[in-house]
C-alpha cells in the first residue's frame, strides 16, 4: 500500500486524526474553495489522460459546488477559478509533454 507525504505528515502530527480519516473514512468538511477546486481539477486531468472531455469534467465537478458557501481568497471567485482551470487545461493539452501509456492501468486511482 503506497502512502503519500500528506498521510505520513498527518500521522506524525496526530495519529488519532490519521485513524479517523484514513482508516475509519471520516471526512472533514472543507471550507476553502481552492482545496475543493484542486480536487475537481485533478478529476479533470484524469479525464484528459483517459481520453475524455476534461473541460466538461471540470465544469461538472466544480459546478456541483456552485452554491456552496466557500471561503475565497481576496480576488478569488467561483467563476474566476473555473476560468483559470479551463485555461490551465488548455495549456496542459497544448504542450502535450506528458503521455501515460495505458492510462486505464497506470493511473493511481483510489477505490473506496
Amino acid at each position: 500500500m503506497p502512502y503519500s507525504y500528506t498521510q505520513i505528515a498527518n500521522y506524525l502530527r496526530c495519529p488519532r486524526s490519521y485513524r479517523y480519516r484514513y482508516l475509519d473514512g471520516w471526512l472533514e468538511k472543507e471550507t476553502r474553495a481552492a482545496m475543493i477546486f484542486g480536487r475537481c481539477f485533478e478529476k479533470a486531468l484524469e479525464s484528459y489522460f483517459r481520453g475524455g472531455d476534461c473541460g466538461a469534467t471540470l465544469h461538472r465537478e466544480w459546478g456541483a459546488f456552485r452554491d456552496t458557501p466557500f471561503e475565497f481568497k481576496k480576488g478569488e471567485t467561483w467563476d474566476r477559478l473555473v476560468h483559470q482551470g479551463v485555461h490551465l487545461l488548455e495549456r496542459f493539452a497544448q504542450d502535450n509533454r506528458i503521455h501515460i501509456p495505458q492510462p486505464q492501468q497506470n493511473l493511481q486511482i483510489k477505490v473506496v
Side-chain angles (χ1 to χ4, degrees):
M1 170 184 248
Y3 295 98
S4 71
Y5 170 80
T6 304
Q7 287 174 310
I8 294 168
N10 190 320
Y11 179 79
L12 294 173
R13 183 180 52 81
C14 180
R16 186 177 302 197
S17 173
Y18 175 88
R19 187 185 115 219
Y20 290 154
R21 179 170 182 176
Y22 296 104
L23 301 179
D24 296 342
W26 292 16
L27 296 176
E28 291 182 36
K29 185 175 182 180
E30 185 58 65
T31 58
R32 294 174 296 171
M35 292 297 291
I36 297 299
F37 182 77
R39 291 186 190 125
C40 296
F41 189 80
E42 288 172 354
K43 289 181 182 181
L45 284 177
E46 176 185 335
S47 175
Y48 171 79
F49 285 116
R50 289 179 179 255
D53 185 346
C54 57
T57 301
L58 180 64
H59 281 282
R60 182 183 68 248
E61 295 292 330
W62 185 231
F65 298 100
R66 179 73 167 152
D67 298 321
T68 305
F70 285 129
E71 296 172 9
F72 289 94
K73 290 182 180 178
K74 185 177 179 180
E76 236 180 23
T77 65
W78 187 94
D79 290 320
R80 187 171 181 155
L81 284 175
V82 77
H83 177 74
Q84 290 174 342
V86 168
H87 180 71
L88 285 172
L89 288 170
E90 288 172 350
R91 288 293 311 267
F92 187 81
Q94 184 180 47
D95 292 346
N96 200 24
R97 294 188 295 181
I98 299 173
H99 175 70
I100 298 177
Q102 300 175 338
Q104 299 296 337
Q105 288 81 27
N106 294 330
L107 284 180
Q108 186 179 38
I109 299 171
K110 182 177 181 180
V111 178
V112 179

